[in-house]
Amino acid sequence: MKALLLENIHHLAESVFNASGIEVDTRVGALDEDELIEALEGVDLLGVRSTTLVTPRVIEAANHLTAIGCFCIGTNQVALEDAGRAGIPVFNAPFSNTRSVVELVIAEIILLARRLTEKDRELHAGVWNKEATGSHEIRGRKLGIVGYGNIGSQLSVVAEMLGMDVYFYDIDDRLALGNATRCASLEELLDVCECVTLHVDGRPGNAGFFGAPQFARMRPRALFLNLSRGFVVDYDALRVHLDQGHIAGAAIDVFPNEPRTRGGDFASPLQNVPNVILTPHVGGSTEEAQQDIGRFVAAKLRDFVRLGTTTLSVNCPELTLAHAPGEHRLTYFHDNIPGVLAKVNNILAEHGANIDGQLLGTRRDIGYVVTDVSLDYAPAVVAAIQALPETVRLRLID
């Protein structure tokens, strides 16, 4: 079995695979569609971060691909429905870099509020400017968090500990933590808060949702941060409001078009603007977070190929199989229609294969069943199940 790891994934992932006898090929940068199709020849497991796009064309061409790991929080870089219909589960690390992102947000809020980037540049240029004008404490300031998921909610707790008044808005009904105040609309949050930070997911509906009308609605001299997705913000509109002085400062970690490799060309309308912090998508890029992500996602991929476990898969039915397989384990993805399990079991019975254990899960139009069989079975069993019109993918774990 072979794994391909792209985009400088932490070496701990390679260690997890090697310990299970899985051969690993690593690449530092991302691959485009044609390069990825070529690289996936004979590959069973694929690991990516945020830049490589696993498109429907890639899924269709990757005949050996068994599972995909997104070594990050987001999964919008993968064609999830196409992968699910092909019986290819996708795993990610929804919690592993939460703390790293939260710490960066807090640090950037303080840097912007104190205008420390400008003080730093002036002092490096030999200019001593000790005045307090424009520098503020964050204690008592109103922080607006747009998106109250894993990162937004933990940020809420840490910001409140530092004395900030926290407001949040989320399209889902989220439980407020601590003394945070839920806003009924984004507009309500923008009217109140002196600092706005985005922590939304990568669903297509979020594309471009924060633009000129939202910046105009923000309070004068407010701060703006985006550490979520680059395509959710109109950065040209942000530049206008920064130049006008309506927005006092901004911190941006994500961009619509990011270089595929380290050292690649980068351009943004926000370059060389006073009190603007630009970072190269490093919100979760701490050694601690990347180590945890490498271990966590690699373990999910390993457990799937060894046991058939799909716990925390983002696109396939979730089955948790805590014990090692018996003599033979069959993992079977199929169209989620009535009667498929009965057909499979009839085939096993007709060939004298005794079922020791069986677990079934469904998710929308995909079903997934894992069956342990204690006795040897004829090759005709596999052929008969494979021939069922509802079959998506059959795999044997012996």
Side-chain angles (χ1 to χ4, degrees), residues 119-138:
K119 302 293 186 186
D120 175 72
R121 291 192 190 102
E122 288 176 343
L123 211 54
H124 276 288
V127 178
W128 184 268
N129 180 7
K130 196 175 180 292
E131 67 175 354
T133 304
S135 295
H136 301 278
E137 294 182 352
I138 66 170

Side-chain angles (χ1 to χ4, degrees), residues 3-336:
L4 173 64
L5 302 180
L6 305 178
E7 303 181 64
N8 202 29
I9 289 170
H10 195 277
H11 62 81
L12 186 56
E14 184 174 356
S15 299
V16 171
F17 290 137
N18 287 337
S20 297
I22 299 172
E23 178 187 347
V24 180
D25 178 18
T26 61
R27 311 281 181 92
V28 174
L31 300 180
D32 63 27
E33 189 177 53
D34 290 332
E35 292 171 333
L36 183 56
I37 289 174
E38 181 179 357
L40 283 174
E41 183 66 34
V43 169
D44 303 279
L45 303 174
L46 172 64
V48 301
R49 292 179 71 183
S50 57
T51 305
T52 299
L53 301 181
V54 187
T55 64
R57 178 169 167 249
V58 171
I59 297 295
E60 183 179 3
N63 297 325
H64 286 85
L65 192 58
T66 302
I68 299 170
C70 295
F71 286 73
C72 52
I73 292 178
T75 57
N76 57 295
Q77 68 273 44
V78 178
L80 296 178
E81 291 189 10
D82 294 84
R85 285 194 295 267
I88 301 173
V90 177
F91 302 93
N92 68 333
F95 314 111
S96 297
N97 66 1
T98 300
R99 180 68 185 194
S100 295
V101 177
V102 168
E103 288 188 3
L104 182 58
V105 173
I106 292 295
E108 291 184 331
I109 291 174
I110 294 172
L111 287 170
L112 293 173
R114 298 291 298 272
R115 303 191 75 88
L116 293 181
T117 57
E118 293 170 274
K119 302 293 186 186
D120 175 72
R121 291 192 190 102
E122 288 176 343
L123 211 54
H124 276 288
V127 178
W128 184 268
N129 180 7
K130 196 175 180 292
E131 67 175 354
T133 304
S135 295
H136 301 278
E137 294 182 352
I138 66 170
R139 178 180 53 178
R141 298 287 174 174
K142 295 180 175 63
L143 173 64
I145 302 173
V146 182
Y148 206 65
N150 298 325
I151 294 174
S153 57
Q154 187 170 140
L155 172 61
S156 172
V157 173
V158 176
E160 187 174 321
M161 290 173 59
L162 293 173
M164 301 191 79
D165 297 327
V166 177
Y167 296 76
F168 73 91
Y169 169 71
D170 198 297
I171 59 173
D172 295 326
D173 189 12
R174 304 280 190 177
L175 177 66
L177 301 182
N179 295 311
T181 300
R182 180 189 296 107
C183 294
S185 66
L186 176 61
E187 289 72 23
E188 179 185 345
L189 181 145
L190 298 180
D191 288 343
V192 172
C193 295
E194 299 149 305
C195 179
V196 176
T197 179
L198 305 188
H199 300 284
V200 299
D201 61 29
R203 71 187 66 183
N206 284 335
F209 91 96
F210 208 101
Q214 288 72 36
F215 288 119
R217 184 127 189 180
M218 288 176 64
R219 295 184 58 174
R221 306 300 296 166
L223 302 175
F224 175 80
L225 297 91
N226 182 23
L227 287 87
S228 59
R229 301 291 187 275
F231 64 81
V232 305
V233 177
D234 182 346
Y235 287 138
D236 289 314
L238 174 57
R239 173 65 187 258
V240 170
H241 284 268
L242 285 164
D243 289 343
Q244 293 174 348
H246 177 69
I247 304 298
I252 307 299
D253 186 52
V254 288
F255 304 88
N257 299 298
E258 299 180 354
R260 291 184 175 275
T261 58
R262 183 182 302 170
D265 293 336
F266 170 77
S268 169
L270 301 175
Q271 288 171 295
N272 303 311
V273 181
N275 208 30
V276 170
I277 302 170
L278 303 181
T279 50
H281 205 148
V282 294
S285 294
T286 61
E287 291 188 14
E288 293 83 357
Q290 292 307 308
Q291 179 176 336
D292 196 35
I293 290 171
R295 175 198 56 79
F296 183 86
V297 180
K300 291 298 177 187
L301 295 171
R302 176 203 63 199
D303 290 347
F304 174 68
V305 297
R306 289 176 55 190
L307 301 175
T309 297
T310 53
T311 307
L312 295 183
S313 169
V314 298
N315 68 329
C316 287
E318 293 188 49
L319 295 186
T320 300
L321 305 157
H323 62 283
E327 292 187 26
H328 306 285
R329 174 167 287 179
L330 293 81
T331 68
Y332 181 59
F333 287 97
H334 58 86
D335 294 334
N336 183 23

